[in-house]
Amino acid sequence: MNRSPTIRDVAKRAGVAVSTASLALNGKPYVSRETRFRVLQAAEELGYHPHSLAKNLADGRTRNLGLITPISLEHLFASAGFFSRLIRGMHRAAAEHGYNLSLHIAESEEEAVTRVRAAIRGRSVDGLIITNPTVTCPYLKDLKRHRIPFVFIGRPLEEATYVDNDNVEVSRIGVRHLIECGHRRIAFLNGPAHFTFCVDRLVGYRAALAEAGLPYEEDLVWQSDLTEGAAYQVVWELAPKHEFTALFAGSDVQAVGAIRALQARGVRVPQDVAVVCVNNTDLTSHFIPSLTAVDLHEYWLGYWAVKRLVQTIDGERTEHPVLIPGELVERESCGCPSQDQQRRG
Amino acid sequence: MNRSPTIRDVAKRAGVAVSTASLALNGKPYVSRETRFRVLQAAEELGYHPHSLAKNLADGRTRNLGLITPISLEHLFASAGFFSRLIRGMHRAAAEHGYNLSLHIAESEEEAVTRVRAAIRGRSVDGLIITNPTVTCPYLKDLKRHRIPFVFIGRPLEEATYVDNDNVEVSRIGVRHLIECGHRRIAFLNGPAHFTFCVDRLVGYRAALAEAGLPYEEDLVWQSDLTEGAAYQVVWELAPKHEFTALFAGSDVQAVGAIRALQARGVRVPQDVAVVCVNNTDLTSHFIPSLTAVDLHEYWLGYWAVKRLVQTIDGERTEHPVLIPGELVERESCGCPSQDQQRRG
DNA sequence: TGCTAGTCTCGAAACGGTTCGATGAACAGG
DNA sequence: CCTGTTCATCGAACCGTTTCGAGACTAGCA
């Protein structure tokens, strides 16, 4: 015979009933020592491995976690690295709990709705992780109606369990570092205010200034899309109109746009203006000058999202969010004396 | 009742047998017009959606495709963006054919073996896509023994169906561009020779020179790991010893290391040395000067890998590989007059 | 000795679909 | 009118597990 052995084959070889074999194989109680041994041995000899689909159908759990990514990723995460680090963290947590990760990528929010529905209808996942909840969250009602466990990555406006960076802290760390370097007039190039993380970061910016007893000047808070070009334009236009010695940028790409604009205006980085940004990426480490950045630890974002989802699946009621702290990675662009020499890497 | 409707509920409501309902719902022949209509209507009214697990168990197909990534991704793909573009392409093709994508990330090759085995044993996938086959390919014998369909991304040494870039063409395109810009002494900073793509690219480099009637000088072919630091060291050391006006780098990160070394030696890019590299990434577009690069179209790499896998699953015998062409993206670093001004982007 | 509680084992019934073989009706050709 | 197809439908078996209820056997205790 060529087909792979089933639990029946194992049971037969061990001379027990199928149900007993099942108990033995799953380490359940009420199986005698010898019986368990015989079953295990038979399984071993036959090269038996349970058929996951059958298992899943029988006990109603799929052991599958779905990742839904609405909105074209290029637009959302400035850098694609975000996505892969996120996924790796998710994967690790999933593996720790015996879950598989399945991907449901959508290019638009409507497509995301479709994918959420399909996942729910087909009962193909035990829970969902959804990145970048927006204001509308059109899938939310489907999720709630079917009571399927889910976790957001990113702070949603609605009440829902989520995992996100502590974005207040993220910008506070960056700005505080500039203050410690002696800067007192620090511009902030933020992202669009409809992202919750941008709102939070403004709070952190103000907090850092307040802590240091520095005044908050609305004129020094700028805003641009997350692209290099948008950042360039904004900085090109606003930089000459204000006095500042440092700039805190909301993303690595925005920082690059800003630096290019400053250089075009004859401003040197970091000598004339120091720069710190959010997102520790390939770009920040390889750029010249290399960029001091706040690392978002996306790996752990993914890791905890899955952890939290598994908790939810297991019925634990845990409403409060998980907030991942950022971490400052010092490089050349902040112009600090303590800049590390990792060029030789 | 709260449980979701099954096909039995549909059958009962439509007044037909379960088997008939199944035929009707799946668009199979031998169902009369009215019967089919009644079944469909009943399904509609009940809000019936087939239970994917049950379906899969019944017909023995999982409709799942597994992606196995051996070897820490950071090491393998210089940039993380590679991974996410690959995945998106895979996802699209999978969606087109009604498959799901499940992730099996391994940090080492041994772990990859474990994951391959687990996937096979649990019958949880219909086929596997494995990135970056190495010389040893330890999972290969498991794959062949169980006759599970699989496709490699990257050219393996063993005989096996794979999808890869046309790496000979990739470097030929890059080098040819430099030649067209008037350069005659072109250095080549390649990656480690144990990667098949590096071997292929050397072939392309030589081909481009030969086509233009330029001599091949072994002294101008350098080699470094795929990191910035390694590239820096090699170029720092070798650059002064040779005469050349252009450099072709095997990756974006290597190009950055090379440029940094050149600049440290007082060589300007692109004025004194023009640079073209492989990998069109965030880094190449945002770097100053922005880097002319050969785009690898990873999206299509992933797309065709899945396409090919599905063909294999469907029993089509298609041994020859799919080769994705590269495409030159012109920017500042090659110093060509036709450089586009996309700064405003 | 009789009763109860606890172990161990078993067969059967799920889980929710697909597929196979049988059955009957309608219809064609001879 | 008989026979052989083709079409439409049905019931039952099956995919490979888990779980449930029941029965048998063993101790422990009055």
Side-chain angles (χ1 to χ4, degrees):
Chain A
M1 78 171 181
N2 219 348
R3 82 189 204 301
S4 17
T6 74
I7 198 171
R8 273 175 250 275
D9 300 322
V10 174
K12 186 179 294 178
R13 173 173 260 255
V16 301
V18 172
S19 48
T20 304
S22 174
L23 294 178
L25 289 167
N26 288 296
K28 299 260 171 97
Y30 299 127
V31 177
S32 73
R33 230 176 166 59
E34 316 101 275
T35 304
R36 188 181 302 273
F37 180 77
R38 283 216 316 285
V39 171
L40 259 31
Q41 183 161 5
E44 174 71 29
E45 289 165 1
L46 256 36
Y48 167 79
H49 292 279
H51 192 299
S52 53
L53 286 181
K55 211 174 177 119
N56 298 348
L57 178 59
D59 71 6
R61 303 178 46 203
T62 67
R63 288 165 186 79
N64 248 306
L65 263 27
L67 171 64
I68 307 258
T69 59
I71 302 183
S72 146
L73 288 169
E74 277 105 357
H75 283 128
L76 226 143
F77 306 115
S79 96
F82 195 102
F83 183 56
S84 53
R85 285 187 288 272
L86 195 70
I87 283 195
R88 301 185 53 166
M90 291 183 52
H91 186 270
R92 164 158 159 201
E96 283 179 6
H97 292 276
Y99 283 91
N100 266 340
L101 220 54
S102 71
L103 251 40
H104 304 254
I105 300 176
E107 299 294 327
S108 67
E109 200 150 40
E110 299 136 47
E111 200 191 328
V113 176
T114 310
R115 299 219 176 279
V116 167
R117 291 221 177 107
I120 295 177
R121 287 172 172 170
R123 287 77 135 203
S124 58
V125 296
D126 291 340
L128 289 173
I129 289 184
I130 304 173
T131 63
N132 311 106
T134 61
V135 187
T136 63
C137 268
Y139 29 73
L140 202 57
K141 72 176 202 296
D142 286 281
L143 292 170
K144 296 204 159 160
R145 184 147 50 87
H146 291 88
R147 299 174 191 290
I148 183 166
F150 68 94
V151 167
F152 284 121
I153 292 185
R155 179 164 75 80
L157 287 179
E158 316 270 331
E159 188 76 16
T161 98
Y162 71 95
V163 173
D164 198 358
N165 285 114
D166 184 342
N167 278 302
V168 173
E169 238 353 73
V170 160
S171 60
R172 183 146 69 175
I173 290 172
V175 175
R176 187 189 294 149
H177 179 70
L178 287 167
I179 293 173
E180 284 166 1
C181 290
H183 297 282
R184 312 196 60 76
R185 299 191 58 81
I186 302 170
F188 179 22
L189 178 58
N190 201 2
H194 60 85
F195 290 130
T196 54
F197 65 83
C198 293
V199 174
D200 296 348
R201 287 187 193 158
L202 181 56
V203 174
Y205 169 78
R206 298 187 65 156
L209 293 181
E211 282 167 16
L214 296 175
Y216 168 70
E217 294 178 46
E218 208 162 338
D219 280 3
L220 285 179
V221 177
W222 310 335
Q223 185 175 313
S224 83
D225 277 354
L226 301 176
T227 63
E228 182 187 332
Y232 183 95
Q233 283 202 320
V234 167
V235 173
W236 169 264
E237 192 178 332
L238 296 180
K241 300 180 181 161
H242 302 92
E243 218 157 285
F244 61 101
T245 64
L247 174 78
F248 180 65
S251 77
D252 52 342
V253 172
Q254 282 173 292
V256 169
I259 291 175
R260 232 184 238 270
L262 290 172
Q263 289 178 341
R265 288 282 192 195
V267 178
R268 294 167 305 164
V269 174
Q271 296 88 338
D272 302 327
V273 166
V275 172
V276 168
C277 68
V278 180
N279 279 11
N280 182 29
T281 63
D282 275 0
L283 187 55
T284 55
S285 62
H286 297 306
F287 195 75
I288 306 177
S290 58
L291 304 177
T292 294
V294 180
D295 191 323
L296 258 23
H297 293 311
E298 302 93 324
Y299 183 93
W300 296 107
L301 217 48
Y303 182 85
W304 285 107
V306 166
K307 275 289 211 221
R308 187 36 77 78
L309 180 55
V310 170
Q311 287 173 357
T312 308
I313 290 173
D314 291 347
E316 297 177 35
R317 264 274 149 275
T318 46
E319 284 300 335
H320 68 284
V322 176
L323 292 182
I324 308 293
E327 182 188 6
L328 190 81
V329 178
E330 255 183 80
R331 296 206 184 83
E332 298 164 354
S333 68
C334 60
C336 292
S338 61
Q339 70 184 242
D340 48 355
Q341 283 306 85
Q342 49 181 7
R343 189 54 39 218
R344 233 124 330 288
Chain B
M1 78 174 180
N2 216 349
R3 83 191 203 302
S4 19
T6 74
I7 196 171
R8 279 173 240 274
D9 300 322
V10 175
K12 185 178 296 178
R13 173 173 260 254
V16 301
V18 172
S19 49
T20 304
S22 175
L23 293 179
L25 288 167
N26 289 297
K28 299 258 170 97
Y30 300 127
V31 177
S32 73
R33 229 176 167 59
E34 317 101 273
T35 303
R36 187 181 302 274
F37 180 77
R38 282 216 314 285
V39 171
L40 259 33
Q41 182 160 7
E44 173 71 28
E45 290 165 0
L46 256 37
Y48 167 79
H49 293 279
H51 191 299
S52 55
L53 286 181
K55 210 173 179 119
N56 297 347
L57 178 60
D59 70 7
R61 303 177 47 201
T62 68
R63 289 164 185 80
N64 248 305
L65 264 27
L67 171 64
I68 307 258
T69 59
I71 301 182
S72 144
L73 289 169
E74 276 105 356
H75 284 127
L76 226 143
F77 306 115
S79 96
F82 195 102
F83 183 56
S84 55
R85 285 188 286 273
L86 194 70
I87 282 194
R88 301 185 53 165
M90 291 184 51
H91 186 270
R92 165 159 158 200
E96 282 179 5
H97 292 275
Y99 283 92
N100 266 340
L101 221 54
S102 70
L103 250 40
H104 305 254
I105 301 176
E107 299 295 329
S108 68
E109 201 151 39
E110 300 136 46
E111 200 192 329
V113 176
T114 310
R115 299 217 177 280
V116 167
R117 291 221 177 107
I120 295 177
R121 288 173 172 168
R123 285 74 133 209
S124 58
V125 297
D126 291 339
L128 289 173
I129 289 184
I130 304 174
T131 63
N132 312 105
T134 62
V135 187
T136 62
C137 268
Y139 29 73
L140 201 58
K141 73 175 201 298
D142 286 282
L143 292 170
K144 294 204 160 161
R145 186 147 49 87
H146 291 88
R147 300 175 189 289
I148 183 165
F150 68 96
V151 167
F152 284 121
I153 292 185
R155 179 164 75 81
L157 287 178
E158 316 269 331
E159 187 77 15
T161 97
Y162 71 95
V163 172
D164 198 358
N165 285 113
D166 184 341
N167 277 301
V168 173
E169 237 353 73
V170 160
S171 61
R172 182 145 71 176
I173 290 171
V175 175
R176 187 189 294 148
H177 179 69
L178 287 167
I179 292 172
E180 283 166 359
C181 291
H183 298 280
R184 312 193 62 76
R185 299 189 58 81
I186 302 170
F188 178 21
L189 178 59
N190 201 0
H194 61 85
F195 291 130
T196 54
F197 65 84
C198 292
V199 174
D200 295 349
R201 288 190 194 157
L202 180 57
V203 174
Y205 169 78
R206 298 187 66 156
L209 294 181
E211 281 167 15
L214 297 175
Y216 168 70
E217 293 179 47
E218 209 162 337
D219 280 3
L220 285 179
V221 176
W222 310 334
Q223 186 175 309
S224 84
D225 278 353
L226 302 176
T227 64
E228 182 186 332
Y232 183 95
Q233 283 200 322
V234 167
V235 173
W236 170 263
E237 192 178 334
L238 296 179
K241 299 180 181 162
H242 302 92
E243 218 156 283
F244 61 101
T245 63
L247 174 78
F248 180 65
S251 77
D252 51 343
V253 171
Q254 282 174 292
V256 168
I259 290 175
R260 233 184 237 271
L262 291 172
Q263 289 178 341
R265 287 285 192 193
V267 177
R268 294 167 306 165
V269 174
Q271 296 88 338
D272 302 327
V273 166
V275 171
V276 168
C277 68
V278 180
N279 280 11
N280 183 28
T281 63
D282 275 1
L283 187 56
T284 54
S285 61
H286 297 306
F287 196 76
I288 305 177
S290 58
L291 304 176
T292 295
V294 181
D295 191 321
L296 258 23
H297 293 311
E298 302 94 323
Y299 183 93
W300 296 106
L301 217 47
Y303 182 85
W304 284 106
V306 165
K307 275 287 211 222
R308 188 36 77 77
L309 180 55
V310 170
Q311 287 173 356
T312 308
I313 291 173
D314 291 347
E316 296 177 36
R317 264 274 149 276
T318 46
E319 284 300 336
H320 69 282
V322 176
L323 292 182
I324 307 293
E327 182 189 6
L328 190 81
V329 178
E330 256 183 79
R331 296 207 183 83
E332 298 164 353
S333 69
C334 61
C336 292
S338 61
Q339 68 185 243
D340 47 357
Q341 285 305 87
Q342 46 183 11
R343 187 57 37 219
R344 236 126 324 293

